[in-house]
Amino acid sequence: DTKGPEVRVGTIEGEGMAVSPGQKIILTGENIVGNAERLPIIPGSVLSCVEPGMMVRFDDGYVAFRVVSCSPAGVGVEIGQYP
């Protein structure tokens, strides 16, 4: 069993952030303070590996995102409860 890359969410506003199924967020490799609209991902280079339709999971798989778009501005994802 091999371990994947260490991917982390960067700094976000406040003490945390609640997310809800159906919510859309942009994942970015930019060095920003994240909010409910844009989340910084470290390392940002991993964002070039995703494509629309792919699933991205965080928090040991408890939070799932479906990639809906990819652009130079970032990766658009929709939060869901996916299998």
Side-chain angles (χ1 to χ4, degrees):
D1 188 24
T2 60
K3 185 176 180 187
E6 291 286 334
V7 179
R8 307 239 186 256
V9 173
T11 304
I12 57 174
E13 293 177 344
E15 296 181 17
M17 187 177 88
V19 293
S20 303
Q23 182 177 348
K24 293 186 176 155
I25 297 177
I26 300 293
L27 304 180
T28 180
E30 296 176 37
N31 186 18
I32 63 167
V33 175
N35 56 37
E37 297 173 0
R38 297 181 75 210
L39 285 178
I41 301 299
I42 303 167
S45 60
V46 300
L47 296 176
S48 66
C49 300
V50 300
E51 299 174 353
M54 291 178 78
M55 297 301 302
V56 178
R57 296 182 185 270
F58 286 91
D59 193 15
D60 293 326
Y62 290 106
V63 179
F65 299 92
R66 181 176 52 86
V67 176
V68 295
S69 65
C70 297
S71 75
V75 173
V77 296
E78 181 177 353
I79 298 166
Q81 296 175 336
Y82 304 103

